[in-house]
Amino acid sequence: MAEQVGVSEPAGGPASSKRTDLRLVPAVLVAWSVALVGSFANAAGSAVLAGVLAMAGGLLLVRARRHQPARQRARTFSATFAVATVLGAAVAIQCAVTANIREEGPLADAVAEGSSVLIRVLITGVPQEVSVPGTSNGNRWSVAATLVDVTSQGSVIRGSADLTVLGGNGWQEVRPGQSVRTSGTLKAVREGQGQAALLSASSTPVVIASAFDFRQSAADVRSQFIAASAWLPPDPGGLMPGMVTGDTSALPESLEADMKTTGMTHLTAVSGANCSLVLGGFILFARCLRLSRPAAGAFAACGLMAFVVLVGPDPSVLRAAVMGTVGVAALIGGLRGRSLTFLCLATVILLLLDPGMATNVGFLLSVLATLGIVLMATRVASWIPAPVPRWLAAGVAVPLSAQLLCGPVIVALQPQFSLYALVVNVVAGPLVAPVTIFGTLAVPLAVVLPWMAVVPIAIAGTCAGGVASVARFFAHLPWAALPWADGPAGIVSMVAFSTTTLVIIWVALHPMRAAAWIVALHHALMVLLDRRGRSG
């Protein structure tokens, strides 16, 4: 497991001569900062920012070219930040285009007027049930769509713009690929969102035309998989589809609450870990078929693409999919130990494609969790004594590393501390892989040969039931969820707590080295005090 995360070993280890490649870190920081600013800026502001960054990148590139080869370090510094500013300029241009559609696009006047409109849209997403506070007529449904035309104040406007439709009964029946007509009021979206408008539908949708859409096919496959799992008990029957396909519609509310209490919410839906398992499974299967390295990489990439289509392009899944694809490319090229480079490249690519991800908390948590694994998991696992099996050491180090970096963000969202979060993730960790692998294997069988899907569903369901049992047990133990300070105080205190935890773990696993450090520190302090006393 130590080689999988691509982090250098501690001094004296086999990889001590390797250095972590940090050249893409400035690019991530600049791209993310620009995406945050651009998500809240207008089109003109984003365009000005793009121009400034492009000029800065050009100047840095000229400076890099003028340096002599002997001054390699200075040239590398200039080139690194030149790449970062150019990528930041590209993100700013994307933000400017999105803001311009929102400000000057076909829906801008209708949003400003706030009057009722007759609109025709093309459904591009799957309806999701949302709770609207203050409504007594039941929940409403949210679905992504693209504008076809809108009639406002007697004039018909045609164009292309993304919007979100929020409607009542009837909207749960719409499907991707359908062209529907409805009426309602167009409203401005919250700052930071990439859509041009929010349509509050006042009438049921009228289907005008239908066309094939792969997202609907994926939704049908997920529904058939849930139906094939209906014979399982409620807990595994609701949790397994979420862990395999991302569909949490059958997840019991009580189990969802228990998993939230114990810090296991990342297991209730597909995450980056699932994509990594699927990618690894396809690579192993391809190698068992004795495919060449390029053929195995292409096979694994196609399999991962099919999995993403099935699950849906959530930010964490997209991040893991892009990172997995970059990792496959590195595998084909024979590269090793480049996990941080892969993560940085994946993050920059996703920010270029959708700068709005910079404001998505799920995307932030996904990147932080992977960063913790990349930077600390191997080192923490190496601290654990050699008699402990390496798989067990990695099973503790990976969730601990991810939790330490995600903790400050989690308490900012929910000011509470899950006392047993590390323990439950270590205990439930070995069960995640069987659920993902056998559940994914059962998905196509549930559609083509349902009777053959019984065995993999039973195996995956049993393991999912084990995950649910772990959550149920620990959630009802005393002090399962402790209150924590909210706001900046909570974030700072959690950073201090995470740092202290890491230091305590190192001291506990290296008592002799810790004692030597204490003695050395005491000696240095005594020498310093003695010198100050003499000088006084």
Side-chain angles (χ1 to χ4, degrees):
M1 293 294 297
E3 292 81 12
Q4 292 180 1
V5 294
V7 182
S8 300
E9 295 283 348
S16 60
S17 61
K18 294 182 180 180
R19 294 182 178 180
T20 303
D21 191 347
L22 301 176
R23 286 176 294 179
L24 282 179
V25 172
V28 174
L29 296 177
V30 172
W32 204 311
S33 301
V34 171
L36 281 174
V37 173
S39 297
F40 298 95
N42 54 25
S46 296
V48 171
L49 180 60
V52 171
L53 289 171
M55 291 179 59
L59 292 175
L60 286 170
L61 284 175
V62 171
R63 182 177 184 274
R65 290 178 62 88
R66 287 182 177 178
H67 279 286
Q68 298 298 321
R71 302 182 64 182
Q72 185 68 34
R73 180 175 299 177
R75 185 177 64 180
T76 301
F77 176 87
S78 298
T80 296
F81 281 88
V83 171
T85 53
V86 169
L87 289 173
V91 173
I93 291 173
Q94 181 78 338
C95 292
V97 171
T98 302
N100 184 68
I101 293 176
R102 188 166 54 247
E103 297 169 5
E104 306 292 340
L107 298 176
D109 292 339
V111 170
E113 293 168 357
S115 57
S116 297
V117 297
L118 182 66
I119 191 170
R120 185 156 58 103
V121 297
L122 176 66
I123 304 298
T124 58
V126 178
Q128 301 289 333
E129 190 174 12
V130 294
S131 298
V132 181
T135 58
S136 58
N137 55 350
N139 289 345
R140 292 167 68 81
W141 300 85
S142 173
V143 61
T146 301
L147 174 68
V148 177
D149 60 56
V150 59
T151 302
S152 176
Q153 302 292 334
S155 60
V156 179
I157 303 174
R158 293 179 174 84
S160 178
D162 294 330
L163 66 153
T164 300
V165 181
L166 187 64
N169 293 331
W171 283 98
Q172 71 272 27
E173 303 296 335
V174 298
R175 296 291 181 264
Q178 291 181 339
S179 179
V180 302
R181 184 176 64 245
T182 187
S183 59
T185 304
L186 287 169
K187 302 178 181 179
V189 298
R190 294 196 304 265
E191 290 187 348
Q193 293 184 331
Q195 294 82 10
L198 170 68
L199 173 65
S200 180
S202 58
S203 62
T204 57
V206 177
V207 179
I208 301 173
S210 297
F212 171 78
D213 193 295
F214 69 89
R215 285 164 290 203
Q216 179 55 42
S217 301
D220 293 338
V221 170
R222 292 196 296 268
S223 299
Q224 290 178 274
F225 179 64
I226 293 177
S229 310
W231 57 273
L232 293 172
D235 278 0
L239 181 59
M240 186 189 65
M243 295 179 68
V244 175
T245 67
D247 192 330
T248 59
S249 59
L251 184 68
E253 292 184 4
S254 59
L255 177 58
E256 184 178 5
D258 288 344
M259 297 192 76
K260 185 176 182 180
T261 299
T262 54
M264 299 175 68
T265 51
H266 61 283
L267 296 180
T268 59
V270 172
S271 64
N274 298 83
C275 287
S276 300
L277 287 169
V278 170
L279 182 66
F282 277 112
I283 291 177
L284 289 176
F285 181 69
R287 299 303 289 175
C288 290
L289 296 177
R290 298 184 180 277
L291 297 179
S292 63
R293 180 179 289 178
F299 178 79
C302 291
L304 182 61
M305 187 182 302
F307 180 75
V308 171
V309 170
L310 172 66
V311 172
D314 291 334
S316 62
V317 178
L318 282 175
R319 191 272 311 157
V322 173
M323 184 176 175
T325 303
V326 175
V328 169
L331 179 64
I332 295 173
L335 299 178
R336 294 294 187 271
R338 299 290 186 177
S339 298
L340 181 60
T341 300
F342 296 161
L343 175 62
C344 292
L345 186 58
T347 304
V348 170
I349 290 174
L350 288 173
L351 290 173
L352 285 170
L353 294 175
D354 183 8
M357 284 190 179
T359 62
N360 187 286
V361 177
F363 179 63
L364 174 61
L365 288 173
S366 179
V367 173
L368 287 177
T370 307
L371 182 63
I373 295 171
V374 165
L375 295 181
M376 297 191 300
T378 300
R379 193 174 295 273
V380 172
S382 69
W383 295 349
I384 300 176
V388 178
R390 291 299 89 188
W391 63 266
L392 181 58
V396 175
V398 168
L400 174 63
S401 302
Q403 186 176 342
L404 288 177
L405 261 70
C406 292
V409 178
I410 293 175
V411 296
L413 299 174
Q414 181 182 1
Q416 73 174 33
F417 176 68
S418 299
L419 183 62
Y420 309 114
L422 176 61
V423 177
V424 297
N425 280 283
V426 171
V427 174
L431 300 173
V432 175
V435 175
T436 302
I437 294 172
F438 286 98
T440 304
L441 183 65
V443 170
L445 293 178
V447 178
V448 181
L449 298 170
W451 60 273
M452 289 188 63
V454 173
V455 174
I457 285 178
I459 298 174
T462 301
C463 295
V467 174
S469 299
V470 170
R472 295 281 196 190
F473 175 77
F474 282 95
H476 294 87
L477 290 179
W479 309 300
L482 301 176
W484 197 270
D486 57 357
I491 297 175
V492 173
S493 59
M494 180 53 71
V495 171
F497 178 79
S498 298
T499 304
T500 304
T501 300
L502 197 62
V503 172
I504 291 175
I505 292 174
W506 184 87
V507 171
L509 294 175
H510 302 84
M512 300 304 296
R513 293 179 63 182
W517 274 97
I518 293 173
V519 171
L521 179 62
H522 175 266
H523 178 71
L525 288 175
M526 292 298 296
V527 171
L528 179 62
L529 291 174
D530 183 62
R531 290 178 178 175
R532 289 178 62 89
R534 292 180 180 180
S535 62

